[in-house]
């Protein structure tokens, strides 16, 4: 029984020499739980007898095209014959979930601004069965704002979101919106026709929604494959031009045309080459010259669309959708939490609201809201770090773009929706790292930034926040915003957005703890430090050009150091002696240490930092922590390992080491996720897998513990002694001040025979026990095994470091695994581990280790 309230849905299916697929598609469509459906089948000039079969079907509206008008022409004909309030475009080689239409209609009825909606397109082939929900799938599509290339993502966030594009193989559109912006543009024939339609909808103010609960199973690209191997490449290259010309804004179109010209000329020059890509180049070259001679029509269409829809804002819209925001708020009151939860209910796109909470009652109340809103996240502040709560929030933010706002003004983010989109695009276009919002678009210098009238929130890249060292301890929130604006001005990466939102302006900088001049000096010092870090490449992976640039940078630094009148002659002579000796003895580690000291001394002399005082304070801190090691912060990098983590935590608790921080790389092991949610330890949930270097690449040390010693360990490395090893590690730092870290050596004398890589592990580890500096201490590289780091070690490094021997050793628990009796947790971990990083967690040796072992054994 069809309800009178159910709007009519016209499902349009185009058939071209694929009657078997079409019949199967129709049979499935009749199983939809939604019953007010009109089936429209368009035959596109088939030559396989399809029309005769379709004429015998009584419950369809049949449209017969005399020739193949392509996907575009076929669906235009179907649309003209359809009567529905909603039109569903469906490929004949796709099968819908039985509730697809019902769920799509329900969402469209509840959201008037939605012009089109689509969902997951599961693979359907020999390896991916029909109706398999564990199959690989295509989600939504992102359009490159420069090249116009469309790339489908293969994952989603589990909730509806506004996107650039959805799959045209099954998409529902609203007739009233189509009547306003037009339907598919016939000259496209195939490819980019739905992207063009979605672009016009967006420009008219409507949304394209991806809904993960809408599922189809699609046997991909059958129609294009019947046309020939290069047809798809030709049409995509040809239509990409028309799509960009019609819809890109002027700035982006200029960049696109330059890209398109280069690509076309490259394909032309390489046409004579006989390799596996020659067919693609031939198709691209053909499409390029088609547009050279006939592309002027697209510019006429662009002019017409501008008259109908106004100047294009399409690129701004898609860039905003591709770059979600993390709104970080330190919340410490019930009223503040109420404001935050009210804002969370209005969030769109992939934006997230991350609340940093230290009050247990507020945390429990917010936890209930998290269960209902997937865009809401919590970071519990356990009081381990003596820094502003916002520093923890920015570190844990999923997204690179962060909005910092206080709990009383979080609602302003909603009213700034359009301004934020403009800011994201302005930052994208200009390579900016920070944007503030004011009544003026005039850029400011550093000193002016201390008082320029602007709203009490800013948008910035997380990388800028890390580079600046985060917010200042003891400084008011408003002053910290000012400080970051100053830093953005200093490095020339700041954008000013003219806003119409009428809110109270941020007060001028008025920190009683620090004068304006001193603040600018600190910012300058941080700028110089960041500049030096950016100019230093990863030498272990650097190409020759980068390595040469790094050496030139070191040479310039050395010249400036010698020329500085603030460096004493005695110190210059001493350093020169050490440099000469390290070069003559080919001791690269000693040379690196001396050059690091030279850089730090130059920074200190330039910005009046008292390096001697800093060293004295660091020594005093070392002496204190040697006797009070329980105050050492211990970072544990977690990723889908719970049982080893419990063993390490048990050892730490026995030693009364309580300042434990679990840095989670987006673990998905259910028991571990539950443990992290319930534990009282400080947890930094990064919301992404940042890898084993997360502590440094994410700026965790620099923004949370910039001036103190710290320990880093993997969860599967457990000390093999019942003694507290930290006093010994502190003493070694005292004896050998030029080493950045001191770590525990790994035991290899008790490995079980049931571990298949036992002999390989022993052969590999022997190299780390060959350079003793004293009894039981060896000069050897240390990765993320249990190690104590010096203050200011902000970059991931393996050298210079020391390893300890018995009794100060640790067990790497995977080496004690029974290879024939793996636990469920071990299997779960191995299936998801990055084998480019994890080296000993499977029963075969990675190639990079095989080659090195072969070299050592030869």
């Amino acid at each position: 029984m069809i309800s009178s309230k159910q709007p009519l849905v016209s499902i349009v299916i185009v058939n071209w020499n694929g009657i078997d697929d079409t019949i199967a598609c129709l049979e499935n469509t009749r199983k939809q739980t939604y019953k007010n459906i009109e089936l429209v089948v368009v035959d596109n000039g088939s030559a396989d007898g399809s029309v005769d079969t379709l004429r015998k079907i009584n419950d369809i509206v049949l449209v017969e095209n005399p020739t193949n008008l392509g996907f575009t022409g076929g669906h235009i004909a179907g649309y003209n014959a359809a009567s529905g309030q909603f039109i569903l475009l469906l490929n004949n080689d796709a099968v819908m979930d039985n509730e697809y239409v019902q769920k799509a209609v329900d969402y469209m009825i509840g959201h008037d601004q939605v012009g089109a909606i689509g969902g997951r397109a599961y693979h359907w082939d020999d390896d991916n069965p029909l109706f398999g929900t564990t199959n690989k799938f295509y989600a939504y599509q992102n359009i490159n704002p420069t090249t116009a290339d469309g790339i489908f993502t293969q994952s989603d966030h589990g909730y509806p979101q506004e996107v650039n594009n959805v799959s045209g193989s099954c998409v529902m559109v609203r007739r009233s919106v189509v009547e306003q912006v037009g339907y598919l543009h016939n000259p496209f024939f195939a490819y980019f026709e739905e992207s063009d339609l979605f672009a016009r909808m967006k420009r008219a103010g409507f949304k394209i929604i991806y809904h993960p609960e809408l599922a189809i199973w699609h046997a991909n690209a059958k129609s294009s494959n019947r046309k020939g191997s290069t047809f798809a490449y030709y049409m995509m290259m040809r239509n990409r031009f028309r799509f960009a010309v019609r819809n890109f804004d002027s700035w982006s179109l200029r960049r696109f045309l330059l890209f398109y010209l280069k690509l076309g000329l490259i394909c032309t020059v390489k046409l004579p080459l006989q390799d596996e890509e020659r067919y693609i180049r031939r198709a691209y070259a053909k499409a390029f010259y088609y547009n050279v001679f006939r592309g002027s029509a697209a510019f006429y269409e662009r002019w017409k669309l501008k008259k109908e829809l106004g100047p294009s804002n399409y690129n701004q819209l898609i860039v905003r959708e591709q770059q979600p925001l993390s709104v970080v708020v330190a919340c410490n009151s019930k009223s503040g939490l109420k404001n935050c939860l009210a804002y969370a209910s209005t969030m769109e796109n992939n934006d997230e609201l991350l609340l940093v909470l230290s009050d247990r009652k507020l945390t429990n109340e917010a936890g209930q809201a998290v269960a209902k809103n997937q865009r809401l996240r919590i970071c519990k502040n356990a009081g381990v770090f003596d820094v502003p709560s916002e520093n923890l929030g920015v570190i844990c933010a999923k997204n690179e773009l962060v909005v910092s706002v206080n709990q009383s003004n979080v609602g302003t983010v909603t009213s700034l929706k359009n301004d934020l989109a403009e800011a994201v695009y302005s930052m994208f276009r200009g390579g900016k790292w920070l944007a503030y919002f004011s009544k003026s678009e005039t850029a400011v210098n550093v000193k002016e930034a201390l008082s320029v009238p602007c709203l009490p929130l800013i948008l910035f890249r997380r990388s800028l926040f890390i580079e600046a060292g985060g917010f200042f301890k003891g400084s008011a929130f408003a002053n910290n915003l000012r400080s970051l604006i100053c830093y953005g001005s200093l490095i020339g990466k700041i954008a000013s957005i003219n806003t119409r939102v009428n809110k109270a302006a941020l007060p001028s900088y008025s920190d009683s703890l620090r004068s304006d001049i001193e603040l600018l000096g600190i910012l300058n010092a941080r700028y110089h430090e960041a500049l030096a870090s950016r100019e230093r490449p990863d030498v272990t992976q650097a190409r020759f050009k980068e390595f040469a640039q790094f050496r030139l940078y070191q040479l310039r630094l050395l010249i400036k150091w010698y020329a500085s009148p603030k460096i004493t002659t005695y110190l210059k002579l001493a350093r020169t002696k050490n440099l000469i000796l390290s070069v003559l003895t080919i001791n690269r580690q000693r040379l690196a240490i001396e050059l690091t000291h030279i850089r730090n001394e130059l920074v200190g002399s330039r910005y009046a930092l008292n390096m001697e005082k800093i060293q004295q304070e660091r020594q005093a801190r070392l002496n204190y922590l040697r006797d009070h090691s329980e105050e050492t912060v211990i970072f544990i990098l977690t990723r889908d390992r719970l049982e080893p983590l419990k063993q390490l935590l048990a050892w730490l608790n026995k030693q009364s080491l309580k300042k434990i921080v679990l840095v989670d790389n987006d673990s998905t092991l259910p028991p571990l996720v539950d443990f992290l949610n319930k534990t009282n330890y400080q947890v930094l949930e990064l919301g992404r897998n940042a890898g084993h270097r997360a502590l440094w690449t994410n700026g965790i040390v620099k923004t949370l513990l910039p001036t103190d010693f710290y320990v880093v360990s993997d969860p599967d490395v457990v000390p093999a002694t019942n003694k507290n090893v930290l006093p010994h590690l502190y003493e070694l730092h005292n004896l050998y001040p030029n080493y950045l870290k001191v770590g525990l050596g790994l035991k290899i004398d008790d490995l079980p025979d049931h571990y298949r890589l036992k002999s390989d592990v022993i052969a590999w580890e022997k190299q780390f026990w060959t350079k003793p500096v004293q009894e039981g201490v060896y000069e050897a590289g240390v990765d993320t095994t249990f190690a104590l780091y010096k203050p200011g070690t902000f970059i991931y490094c393996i050298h210079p470091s020391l390893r300890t021997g018995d009794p100060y050793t640790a067990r790497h628990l995977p080496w004690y695994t029974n290879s024939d009796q793996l636990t469920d947790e071990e299997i779960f971990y191995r299936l998801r581990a990055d084998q480019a990083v994890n080296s000993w967690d499977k029963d075969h040796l990675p190639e990079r280790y095989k080659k090195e072992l072969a070299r050592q054994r030869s």
Side-chain angles (χ1 to χ4, degrees):
M1 185 72 179
I2 299 173
S3 170
S4 59
K5 295 182 180 179
Q6 287 185 328
L8 178 64
V9 175
S10 297
I11 300 180
V12 179
I13 303 169
V14 175
N15 173 76
W16 180 66
N17 294 332
I19 189 60
D20 292 338
D21 288 336
T22 301
I23 294 299
C25 182
L26 287 170
E27 289 177 356
N28 168 262
T29 304
R30 295 187 184 100
K31 297 177 184 178
Q32 288 293 305
T33 57
Y34 191 90
K35 297 305 179 184
N36 195 13
I37 287 175
E38 174 187 52
L39 295 174
V40 179
V41 180
V42 180
D43 185 78
N44 238 356
S46 297
D48 64 345
S50 294
V51 175
D52 294 334
T53 303
L54 291 171
R55 286 172 179 169
K56 298 175 183 178
I57 302 176
N58 296 323
D59 63 342
I60 65 171
V61 176
L62 178 61
V63 179
E64 299 179 28
N65 287 337
T67 59
N68 183 6
L69 302 181
F71 183 93
T72 308
H75 274 287
I76 291 174
Y79 177 84
N80 292 333
S83 306
Q85 179 179 340
F86 299 108
I87 312 296
L88 191 146
L89 293 74
L90 179 63
N91 276 25
N92 69 332
D93 57 356
V95 172
M96 291 187 292
D97 176 82
N98 290 346
E99 295 185 345
Y100 191 105
V101 177
Q102 182 68 63
K103 291 178 179 178
V105 170
D106 288 346
Y107 194 92
M108 295 283 270
I109 290 175
H111 301 82
D112 293 339
Q113 285 302 107
V114 176
I117 188 171
R120 290 181 179 176
Y122 286 102
H123 292 227
W124 173 21
D125 51 36
D126 293 340
D127 298 322
N128 297 277
L130 182 62
F131 300 123
T133 55
T134 59
N135 297 3
K136 294 179 180 179
F137 65 86
Y138 292 120
Y140 51 91
Q141 189 182 45
N142 286 327
I143 299 293
N144 188 303
T146 299
T147 68
D149 194 18
I151 303 296
F152 273 105
T153 61
Q154 299 184 47
S155 62
D156 57 43
H157 299 271
Y159 52 78
Q161 62 191 79
E162 189 174 355
V163 296
N164 296 178
N165 276 7
V166 290
S167 173
S169 56
C170 184
V171 57
M172 181 179 288
V173 299
R174 194 186 301 269
R175 180 182 285 275
S176 60
V177 175
V178 170
E179 290 174 353
Q180 181 175 335
V181 303
Y183 199 45
L184 301 178
H185 188 51
N186 198 38
F188 281 105
F189 188 83
Y191 298 104
F192 278 96
E193 68 288 319
E194 75 272 23
S195 300
D196 179 76
L197 172 61
F198 299 153
R200 281 180 276 127
M201 287 181 175
K202 285 180 173 297
R203 293 173 63 179
F206 297 98
K207 299 178 181 179
I208 312 303
I209 295 295
Y210 168 80
H211 198 315
E213 293 182 13
L214 305 180
I216 67 165
W217 286 260
H218 186 209
N220 290 299
K222 285 187 176 181
S223 298
S224 59
N225 285 339
R226 289 196 294 267
K227 288 287 289 182
S229 61
T230 61
F231 172 76
Y233 293 114
Y234 167 72
M235 293 304 297
M236 282 191 286
M237 180 66 170
R238 195 187 85 175
N239 289 345
R240 189 193 302 191
F241 176 88
R242 187 176 227 113
F243 167 76
V245 171
R246 283 167 58 86
N247 295 293
F248 276 16
D249 62 40
S250 299
W251 182 82
S252 295
L253 181 58
R254 289 194 295 271
R255 299 176 75 211
F256 168 80
L257 292 175
L258 181 60
F259 154 79
Y260 197 81
L261 175 63
K262 288 181 178 179
L263 182 58
L265 293 177
I266 289 171
C267 289
T268 301
V269 171
K270 291 186 176 182
L271 273 178
L273 298 180
Q274 296 297 311
D275 57 26
E276 59 184 13
E277 294 185 353
R278 63 185 183 277
Y279 298 109
I280 300 176
R281 287 196 298 270
R282 190 176 302 164
Y284 276 17
K286 179 182 176 183
F288 171 70
Y289 286 103
Y290 172 91
N291 284 313
V292 167
F293 294 106
R294 304 182 65 177
S296 58
F299 286 93
Y300 174 70
E301 294 165 8
R302 175 184 178 84
W303 175 77
K304 288 181 64 177
L305 282 176
K306 184 177 180 180
K307 289 186 67 177
E308 295 170 6
L309 301 174
S312 176
N313 64 341
Y314 177 69
N315 297 81
Q316 176 176 308
L317 295 173
I318 64 173
V319 167
R320 173 65 180 91
E321 290 162 4
Q322 292 172 22
Q323 299 197 40
L325 308 179
S326 291
V327 180
V328 174
V329 182
C331 188
N332 54 26
S333 69
K334 279 194 172 184
S335 60
L337 180 60
K338 183 178 179 180
N339 292 338
C340 292
L341 296 183
Y343 164 69
S345 65
T346 68
M347 297 181 73
E348 299 177 338
N349 301 314
N350 287 338
D351 295 352
E352 68 166 358
L353 173 61
L354 199 152
L355 301 180
V356 188
L357 302 165
S358 53
D359 183 274
R360 186 179 295 273
K361 290 183 179 179
L362 290 180
T363 301
N364 293 336
E365 188 175 341
Q368 297 172 10
V370 169
K372 301 175 184 177
N373 191 335
Q374 292 171 291
R375 293 181 174 88
L376 180 62
R377 291 176 62 216
I378 293 175
C379 174
K380 303 172 188 175
N381 186 348
V384 174
F385 303 107
D386 189 19
V387 295
S389 292
E390 288 83 0
N391 288 16
L392 275 74
V394 175
I395 289 300
C396 294
K398 282 183 180 180
N399 305 309
E400 171 65 11
L401 290 181
V402 178
V403 172
S404 185
V405 60
N406 63 23
Q407 58 185 4
S408 59
N409 289 302
V410 65
T412 305
V413 181
T414 302
S415 55
L416 279 174
K417 176 181 176 181
N418 294 332
D419 294 320
L420 282 167
E422 181 185 345
V424 171
Y425 191 46
S426 177
M427 291 168 69
F428 166 79
R429 284 180 53 175
K432 304 300 183 183
W433 289 16
L434 180 144
Y436 67 92
F437 304 86
S438 72
K439 300 298 180 182
S440 170
E441 292 181 346
T442 306
V444 295
N445 60 34
V446 183
K447 291 185 178 180
E448 291 171 339
L450 292 166
S451 59
V452 63
C454 57
L455 296 188
L457 61 80
I458 54 174
L459 169 68
F460 54 86
R461 293 196 175 278
R462 184 173 55 233
S463 50
L464 175 131
F465 188 87
I466 293 169
E467 185 177 287
F471 284 164
F472 290 116
K473 170 190 170 184
S475 190
F477 177 76
N479 291 337
N480 274 319
L481 291 189
R482 287 281 183 198
S483 299
L484 213 56
I485 293 173
C486 288
Y487 190 80
S489 302
L490 179 67
I491 64 174
K493 298 283 188 177
I494 192 169
S496 175
I497 305 301
N498 190 7
T499 179
R500 296 183 180 87
V501 175
N502 292 314
K503 291 286 181 180
L506 195 67
S508 298
Y509 195 95
S510 58
D511 194 340
S512 59
L513 300 177
R514 186 181 300 114
S515 69
D516 293 350
I517 301 303
E518 185 182 353
L519 168 69
L520 298 182
I522 292 173
L523 292 174
N524 271 282
R526 289 187 172 184
Y527 166 65
H528 183 81
E529 176 193 338
L531 183 64
S533 298
R534 285 206 302 273
E535 289 188 11
R536 176 182 179 179
D538 186 344
V539 180
T540 60
Q541 300 178 3
R543 294 170 296 184
F544 175 78
K545 180 181 178 182
E546 294 169 328
F547 188 75
Q549 290 174 342
F550 175 51
R551 291 304 180 206
L552 287 174
Y553 160 72
Q554 288 182 319
L555 180 61
R556 291 198 305 270
L557 203 66
L558 193 59
I559 294 172
K560 291 178 181 178
W561 182 80
Y562 275 117
S564 174
K566 296 182 180 179
I567 308 295
T568 65
T569 303
Y570 176 80
L571 184 57
K572 289 177 181 177
L573 291 173
R575 292 274 181 237
T576 302
K577 174 188 173 183
N578 292 342
L579 287 172
I580 293 172
L581 287 175
S582 61
V583 171
L584 292 176
T585 57
I586 318 178
N587 193 325
R588 295 175 60 189
Q589 293 180 20
R590 302 288 184 195
L591 177 62
I593 291 169
E594 288 300 322
L595 291 173
T596 301
H597 283 310
I598 286 171
R599 190 191 76 178
N600 292 340
E601 288 160 3
L602 184 63
V603 172
S605 66
R606 180 172 295 181
Y607 297 109
L609 300 179
N610 190 330
M611 299 302 294
E612 184 177 349
K613 181 181 178 182
I614 291 174
Q615 290 289 16
Q616 290 173 353
E617 291 174 350
R618 184 174 294 180
Q619 183 63 44
R621 181 63 175 167
L622 187 154
N623 295 336
Y624 176 80
L625 289 174
R626 184 171 47 196
D627 299 327
H628 302 83
S629 59
E630 70 278 1
E631 295 191 22
T632 305
V633 175
I634 299 169
F635 293 100
I636 304 176
L637 300 165
T638 66
R639 167 75 175 175
D640 291 332
R641 281 199 181 282
L642 178 58
E643 292 308 317
L645 174 63
K646 287 181 177 179
Q647 294 184 48
L648 177 56
L649 292 174
W651 184 90
L652 294 171
N653 287 326
K654 284 182 181 178
Q655 314 306 323
S656 299
L657 301 172
K658 303 295 186 182
K659 286 194 170 184
I660 298 169
V661 181
L662 305 179
V663 182
D664 185 62
N665 272 315
D666 199 25
S667 293
T668 55
L669 180 69
L672 177 56
V673 173
D674 185 58
F675 175 83
L676 294 174
N677 287 334
K678 295 178 180 178
T679 185
N680 291 323
Y681 295 119
Q682 176 68 65
V683 179
L684 301 178
E685 292 184 349
L686 303 184
R688 61 203 178 282
N689 185 0
H692 67 296
R693 302 185 181 190
L695 210 65
W696 301 276
T697 57
N698 261 51
I700 294 174
V701 176
K702 188 170 185 179
T703 56
L704 302 184
L705 203 70
T707 61
D708 211 350
F709 291 85
Y710 61 94
V711 168
V712 179
S713 180
D714 287 328
D716 51 14
V717 177
V718 180
T721 175
N722 290 324
K723 296 180 180 180
N724 185 352
V725 300
L726 289 188
H728 181 60
L729 300 184
Y730 276 115
E731 180 56 31
L732 290 176
H733 269 297
N734 185 49
L735 294 173
Y736 301 98
N738 288 331
Y739 289 88
L740 292 179
K741 55 181 173 177
V742 180
L744 301 182
L746 299 177
K747 286 184 73 66
I748 56 175
D749 57 1
D750 64 347
L751 300 186
D753 293 333
H754 58 236
Y755 178 57
R756 289 179 186 165
L757 295 180
K758 175 180 177 179
S759 60
D760 291 322
V761 166
I762 292 173
W764 176 263
E765 288 292 312
K766 281 183 177 178
Q767 65 179 300
F768 302 119
W769 303 80
T770 59
K771 297 180 181 179
V773 297
Q774 70 173 54
E775 185 178 355
V777 182
Y778 303 84
E779 186 174 74
V782 177
D783 198 0
T784 48
T785 52
F786 196 104
L788 177 66
Y789 290 71
K790 266 189 169 52
T793 308
F794 298 148
I795 335 173
Y796 171 80
C797 59
I798 294 178
H799 297 285
S801 56
L802 297 175
R803 286 196 185 202
T804 56
D806 286 325
Y808 300 101
T809 55
R811 288 189 175 93
H812 187 212
L813 298 185
W815 295 348
Y816 298 81
T817 300
N818 188 334
S819 301
D820 296 319
Q821 297 178 9
L822 299 180
T823 65
D824 290 342
E825 179 179 312
E826 184 68 24
I827 294 171
F828 186 95
Y829 177 81
R830 291 188 180 198
L831 288 173
R832 290 159 178 80
D834 182 356
Q835 292 307 306
V837 176
N838 295 274
S839 308
W840 305 105
D841 297 318
K842 284 198 173 183
D843 295 328
H844 64 271
L845 202 60
E847 288 299 320
R848 62 193 179 101
Y849 279 79
K850 288 180 181 178
K851 293 177 181 178
E852 180 62 22
L853 281 175
R855 186 188 67 79
Q856 291 180 19
R857 287 168 174 167
S858 62

